Amino acid sequence: MDTESSPVETVEARAGEAAPERERRASAGGTWRRRLRMFVLILGPGIITANVDNDAGGITTYSLAGAHFGLDLLWTMVPILVALVVTQEVCARMGVVTGKGLSDLIREEYGVKPTFWVMLALVLTNLANTAAEFSGIAAATEIFGVSRYVAVPLSALLVWGLVIRGSNQVVERVFLVACLVYLAYPISGFLAGPEWDEVGHALVVPPARFEPAYLTMMLGLVGTTIAPWMQFYQQASVVEKGIGPEHYAYERWDVIIGCVLAAMVAFFIIIACAATLHTHGIRIEDASDAARALRPLAGPYAAGLFAFGLFNASLFAASVLPLSTAFYVCEAFGWESGVSRQFRAAPQFYGLYTALIVIGAGVVLIPRFPLIPVMFLSQVANGMVLPLVLFFMVRLSSRRDLMGTFANTRAFSLALWTTSAIVSVMTALALAGLLGIW
Amino acid sequence: MEVRGTASAVVSASAGGARVAPSPSAFVYLSRLLDRSVEDALGAPLGQLDDLTISATEAFPRVRHFVIRQAWPSPLRLVGRWADIADFRGASVRLGVQASQLMPALPDAITEVHLRRDVLDKQVVDTSGLKIVRVNDVQFLTTALELRTVHVDVGFRGLVRRLGIEPLIDGLVHRLRPQATYLSADNLISWRFIETLSPGTPAHHLQLSLSRAQVDQVHPVAVADLLEGLDPIRRLRLFRALDPEMSVQALVQLSLEVQARLLETMSQLEAVSLLERMPPDDAADLLAALPEEVRQAWLGRMTHTEASEVAGLLAYPPDTAGGLMTTEFIALPATLSVGEVLERMRQLAPSADMIYYIYLVDAAGALVGVLSLRSLIVESPSTPVAEVMLTRPVSAQADDSLEECAALVAKYDLLALPVVRPDRTLLGVITVDDVLGEVLEQAWTRKLRG
């Protein structure tokens, strides 16, 4: 070899000779396997969002629906699932195409005033939801005989500390695995031995019931399943993950699978509660009543199992809600946000985050605070804010200048408007119902 | 056009970016103008003021055109020149011309920068503080004939103003704490330092000042921080506006995940040319983080020498000497004299990262010695390098672990560590910063986990 001419070149060329064979080997795999791998990579935002959805408020509302109304509300799960898939899909699509969060988009396209009102509504309902999560923690730990005056402040501190720790991906995964405890409901539902033809009938034929309590419960079901924070959270996590339009097909499946899982859990909680509580005329006054729904599976351990599930769900959601709320608000108003910043650099972010946790946990410590009603009513509040959020979502996702070829088709827009209209009518009915109760 | 007294008084005071406010009436906010009703010279209502357009090339751009939104359901906008406006300080905006002199246009037919569509409520880059801010309002300086864009408002007061409750809040604060900073300190940024990132604006606009004037003087790490904070679309936009040198330096400072995402949003051509300009070891790291089919496609399109270098590096596991090393180094025949080496260095140095050590190889390419830049300068040019070089230099094997390399670098106080085959053929060089970066990263990961 002629080292005189250009040593650098030759040395470099030699490094190149070692070119690996694995490059060529890798591409030989079948396309379906590649697709599957792609899907697993993308998987996440939809499924995580849907699982956070089954939080303290969710479990409580589904339990109440089954215990107090038997199978009479089961039919709502079908339209609710459809609406859930449709709304979550829109958010994922907007995130993928625009690369921006929902609050970001609302601010950029509609200005300060609409953003202010949406954010105000979101902060208030999310505060109520946070209070519900801490109520769930209190209810769960009291089953284990731990006082809420110990458990709630400790949990609040733990959740608040998460922000200091930075990345909570590990925590997220632990919670997600613990979500397997929800499998207890389908098993318990089967073991309780409901009349399956009755279940089938109840799923398809809505009973003609219009009393206020029934309508309010219905709105609670909508509000807990299609909670407004979910749309913001879903879109933000899609953006965060950096999923591009070319991978959108996978993300859509992620969303659909997540929504179906969430609805399945809800479905079986209602069935289990209807079969074990409603048939015996037991009303849920506190969490230990709701735990009876797991007796067919766990017998004497039902209370413990339920408490574990409720505690996990509550803590999971409590660690997600205040943090994400603070993010959306700061994003919308252009304030510094992010856990890597110093407190001084992001006062609004830390202030809001801390306030949500302190107030949310604080109210639960008020003596004789009604845990179950708060968990339920926060979900009704969700239902009331939902039409407002849906309005912006439909408008934004229909715009060609923003979404290009990913804009809603006419048929899809129509489906979305119908969803919004139905939820709005239910909100009006439930409001009337609530006013009627008082 | 009617010349207003208050406005003419401040023509001379068009000091531009200065944060001292001359007379308050000289300034007007965009939020005060938008959505006001517009009537023509005869008093006939035309619609609402929808937007203002500016010419992007000026330092403090003049408002060129106004856009009127007609009553629903007309999709057409009416466009006129700013000079056609007779009075904008009354309850409604009055034109000095008749409606027939305005130009009907579709909303996206106007290509100038629109202040509402492209700037207001959007995230922009404040190139003086090098951070991303959201525009709450835009401030103009009024002169006799024109409206000049001078500041963007990114402060809390701008938000309050947009909510329409400024008098209320101002009054409240005045009562409670007259000396509050809220009342005196407006958070305004001079238009000179603003770069819009909205996809609607022409790309050349962004390129103008950002690449040359400001960003060149900042450290790539700062630019990388800025890029990390952006959403994918704006990140790409800002990235494209950087000059080529800076873009590569900033890119390698980004986390691998963000690097991969950024490249995946580019066209293949653009991504490949960027990869070719990156140091081979960084390019290999980045490619390793990409899905296989993308890696294949990109490698296939790179020039042969670049691709083979990078592919060679890809063959080694990332935590080994082979995975850490770069193939850009200086290796010269051991038969040269000091003067000849210096001469070669002048030709080669610009492309190599590590010029403090010159590696000397025999005819077969095996490493026989190393020469520091110091001895190169100190020794007389006629001395053969073989006499002054350090023989049997410390080296690593391609499959040595990161820890072993780090230990060698630390023990011998090296700036770079050569990597050789068992037959001592020189493969590449690990620079101290690469080792340090990896070690720190692993230490942090351990710390965070544990």
Side-chain angles (χ1 to χ4, degrees):
Chain A
M1 183 188 345
D2 182 13
T3 32
E4 284 289 327
S5 59
S6 174
V8 176
E9 280 303 308
T10 52
V11 171
E12 285 179 2
R14 199 167 303 127
E17 276 167 27
E21 297 309 309
R22 70 168 183 195
E23 298 298 322
R24 251 146 274 151
R25 252 186 292 131
S27 60
T31 48
W32 71 268
R33 252 191 294 169
R34 200 178 66 211
R35 285 209 187 131
L36 188 69
R37 199 170 42 220
M38 205 64 224
F39 177 64
V40 171
L41 276 177
I42 303 242
L43 200 69
I47 288 179
I48 290 174
T49 310
N51 266 300
V52 184
D53 188 25
N54 287 321
D55 56 355
I59 293 179
T60 308
T61 308
Y62 302 135
S63 300
L64 285 172
H68 296 181
F69 298 95
L71 297 173
D72 279 2
L73 279 160
L74 201 60
W75 67 274
T76 58
M77 292 319 295
V78 178
I80 286 177
L81 172 61
V82 173
L84 179 65
V85 171
V86 166
T87 47
Q88 295 302 97
E89 191 274 343
V90 168
C91 288
R93 183 152 42 95
M94 284 198 286
V96 163
V97 176
T98 64
K100 294 173 193 165
L102 187 52
S103 59
D104 206 344
L105 277 182
I106 294 177
R107 168 71 195 269
E108 297 201 347
E109 302 305 324
Y110 296 97
V112 173
K113 270 187 200 170
T115 311
F116 176 78
W117 293 112
V118 172
M119 287 300 129
L120 187 66
L122 193 70
V123 167
L124 290 180
T125 49
N126 286 358
L127 180 60
N129 277 289
T130 308
E133 309 309 347
F134 283 109
S135 301
I137 289 170
T141 50
E142 280 180 359
I143 288 182
F144 288 126
V146 179
S147 162
R148 71 173 76 169
Y149 296 99
V150 178
V152 170
L154 274 181
S155 307
L157 214 63
L158 182 75
V159 167
W160 193 80
L162 276 179
V163 105
I164 313 297
R165 288 265 318 204
S167 162
N168 54 359
Q169 275 195 341
V170 180
V171 184
E172 205 168 57
R173 264 171 230 157
V174 171
F175 280 127
L176 210 52
V177 170
C179 282
L180 286 175
V181 74
Y182 296 140
L183 283 176
Y185 274 104
I187 300 172
S188 200
F190 274 102
L191 290 178
E195 300 292 332
W196 287 103
D197 47 335
E198 265 179 42
V199 170
H201 184 261
L203 194 57
V204 191
V205 186
R209 291 183 70 167
F210 296 101
E211 73 261 35
Y214 183 78
L215 293 174
T216 310
M217 181 57 75
M218 197 151 81
L219 184 65
L221 283 178
V222 174
T224 193
T225 318
I226 319 175
W229 63 261
M230 285 173 69
Q231 284 97 58
F232 289 87
Y233 187 70
Q234 166 97 58
Q235 190 164 338
S237 35
V238 166
V239 172
E240 178 78 4
K241 205 157 185 200
I243 299 168
E246 67 278 11
H247 294 140
Y248 179 62
Y250 302 106
E251 176 50 34
R252 177 178 294 180
W253 278 109
D254 172 46
V255 167
I256 293 174
I257 291 172
C259 291
V260 170
L261 283 180
M264 290 294 280
V265 171
F267 176 82
F268 280 107
I269 292 179
I270 295 177
I271 290 185
C273 287
T276 53
L277 300 171
H278 186 68
T279 47
H280 298 105
I282 301 167
R283 289 186 71 80
I284 295 180
E285 303 296 342
D286 60 38
S288 58
D289 294 331
R292 288 171 187 236
L294 293 174
R295 280 216 185 144
L297 168 70
Y301 305 107
L305 187 64
F306 176 82
F308 173 73
L310 183 63
F311 182 74
N312 176 59
S314 306
L315 204 60
F316 191 3
S319 70
V320 162
L321 265 177
L323 189 60
S324 54
T325 309
F327 264 115
Y328 319 138
V329 173
C330 289
E331 184 184 60
F333 293 117
W335 295 325
E336 292 274 338
S337 63
V339 291
S340 56
R341 314 267 172 201
Q342 297 287 314
F343 194 97
R344 263 167 198 282
Q348 294 95 342
F349 174 75
Y350 280 102
L352 188 55
Y353 177 68
T354 309
L356 282 169
I357 291 179
V358 169
I359 299 174
V363 293
V364 180
L365 298 181
I366 297 171
R368 277 196 304 241
F369 184 76
L371 299 180
I372 296 281
V374 160
M375 286 191 260
F376 170 57
L377 288 178
S378 66
Q379 307 307 304
V380 177
N382 279 346
M384 289 177 182
V385 175
L386 186 59
L388 181 68
V389 177
L390 281 177
F391 171 81
F392 286 105
M393 281 171 50
V394 185
R395 291 287 296 269
L396 285 167
S397 59
S398 300
R399 279 180 46 182
R400 293 230 156 244
D401 56 334
L402 276 179
M403 303 288 292
T405 54
F406 283 85
N408 296 332
T409 58
R410 247 157 222 259
F412 201 90
S413 284
L414 195 70
L416 273 171
W417 281 123
T418 315
T419 306
S420 319
I422 292 173
V423 176
S424 307
V425 169
M426 286 176 70
T427 307
L429 283 176
L431 258 182
L434 273 183
L435 292 176
I437 289 172
W438 294 325
Chain B
M1 189 177 131
E2 181 193 353
V3 176
R4 299 189 52 86
T6 47
S8 58
V10 290
V11 179
S12 57
S14 58
R19 295 207 175 191
V20 276
S23 113
S25 64
F27 290 114
V28 60
Y29 283 103
L30 180 64
S31 62
R32 295 245 194 266
L33 297 174
L34 290 178
D35 296 327
R36 294 254 297 277
S37 56
V38 184
E39 44 192 55
D40 74 358
L42 303 173
L46 297 173
Q48 257 116 34
L49 192 66
D50 189 53
D51 215 333
L52 298 175
T53 70
I54 56 171
S55 57
T57 45
E58 290 172 294
F60 293 102
R62 272 170 302 151
V63 172
R64 301 266 290 249
H65 292 101
F66 60 87
V67 182
I68 299 172
R69 182 175 63 236
Q70 291 178 292
W72 192 81
S74 169
L76 287 180
R77 305 284 198 265
L78 292 173
V79 181
R81 290 173 305 128
W82 178 255
D84 292 340
I85 289 185
D87 180 18
F88 58 85
R89 285 170 191 270
S92 56
V93 177
R94 203 160 48 74
L95 302 187
V97 297
Q98 288 181 30
S100 57
Q101 283 172 268
L102 300 177
M103 188 172 45
L106 282 170
D108 42 4
I110 312 143
T111 50
E112 286 173 324
V113 174
H114 288 52
L115 285 176
R116 175 186 251 172
R117 190 190 68 191
D118 304 327
V119 178
L120 193 65
D121 290 322
K122 305 291 186 283
Q123 285 184 310
V124 296
V125 181
D126 164 12
T127 57
S128 63
L130 214 67
K131 59 182 183 201
I132 303 184
V133 289
R134 202 180 277 286
V135 178
N136 292 333
D137 212 338
V138 177
Q139 194 189 45
F140 304 106
L141 185 69
T142 60
T143 67
L145 297 168
E146 54 195 27
L147 213 53
R148 279 195 180 263
T149 320
V150 286
H151 289 126
V152 299
D153 188 336
V154 298
F156 187 66
R157 208 170 178 181
L159 276 180
V160 171
R161 188 183 318 114
R162 292 283 300 285
L163 277 173
I165 52 171
E166 195 184 20
L168 179 78
I169 300 284
D170 279 15
L172 262 177
V173 176
H174 210 77
R175 278 273 174 82
L176 298 173
R177 278 191 61 200
Q179 65 281 68
T181 47
Y182 164 84
L183 290 170
S184 53
D186 273 330
N187 205 343
L188 300 173
I189 299 174
S190 167
W191 183 265
R192 274 188 302 153
F193 298 128
I194 291 301
E195 290 299 341
T196 61
L197 292 166
S198 62
T201 50
H204 65 83
H205 167 50
L206 188 59
Q207 217 130 16
L208 278 176
S209 56
L210 193 62
S211 53
R212 302 276 160 256
Q214 280 98 26
V215 178
D216 277 0
Q217 293 154 21
V218 291
H219 197 273
V221 173
V223 180
D225 275 350
L226 188 67
L227 286 168
E228 295 245 12
L230 285 167
D231 60 62
I233 293 172
R234 295 197 186 93
R235 185 185 293 144
L236 181 60
R237 241 185 111 65
L238 177 61
F239 185 78
R240 282 183 173 150
L242 300 172
D243 75 45
E245 182 83 0
M246 172 61 90
S247 67
V248 170
Q249 285 174 9
L251 182 70
V252 300
Q253 297 295 339
L254 292 170
S255 72
L256 272 183
E257 208 186 337
V258 176
Q259 285 184 33
R261 257 191 257 163
L262 183 65
L263 261 76
E264 279 177 314
T265 50
M266 293 176 181
S267 70
Q268 205 184 42
L269 203 69
E270 194 181 355
V272 167
S273 84
L274 193 63
L275 277 171
E276 287 175 355
R277 281 185 283 126
M278 284 170 78
D281 53 333
D282 289 319
D285 288 348
L286 170 53
L287 279 169
L290 289 168
E292 241 150 52
E293 65 263 29
V294 180
R295 190 191 319 158
Q296 287 295 318
W298 287 358
L299 265 177
R301 303 200 90 198
M302 288 168 72
T303 60
H304 180 71
T305 42
E306 294 282 343
S308 58
E309 256 177 60
V310 172
L313 289 172
L314 269 172
Y316 302 104
D319 279 354
T320 64
L324 288 168
M325 72 185 184
T326 175
T327 48
E328 275 184 352
F329 56 89
I330 300 173
L332 296 170
T335 52
L336 299 179
S337 70
V338 168
E340 285 169 318
V341 168
L342 263 175
E343 193 48 44
R344 289 284 182 93
M345 289 280 296
R346 288 200 185 91
Q347 297 159 11
L348 297 168
S351 73
D353 224 10
M354 172 47 65
I355 63 160
Y356 305 106
Y357 296 146
I358 296 98
Y359 296 101
L360 300 156
V361 290
D362 64 16
L367 180 67
V368 292
V370 63
L371 197 62
S372 70
L373 196 60
R374 178 195 162 87
S375 52
L376 203 58
I377 295 166
V378 172
E379 298 297 335
S380 101
S382 58
T383 320
V385 286
E387 284 178 20
V388 290
M389 72 184 183
L390 183 73
T391 51
R392 299 201 59 78
V394 181
S395 63
Q397 303 277 333
D399 52 358
D400 284 353
S401 71
L402 169 65
E403 285 78 11
E404 288 167 305
C405 299
L408 285 175
V409 167
K411 185 174 174 191
Y412 295 100
D413 268 339
L414 297 174
L415 291 175
L417 180 67
V419 181
V420 296
R421 288 213 189 121
D423 64 1
R424 295 203 61 79
T425 315
L426 188 54
L427 290 174
V429 169
I430 306 174
T431 51
V432 64
D433 51 326
D434 284 340
V435 179
L436 202 61
E438 284 294 324
V439 169
L440 274 180
E441 196 169 301
Q442 291 202 355
W444 274 108
T445 320
R446 266 199 298 274
K447 204 169 174 184
L448 284 174
R449 277 200 200 120

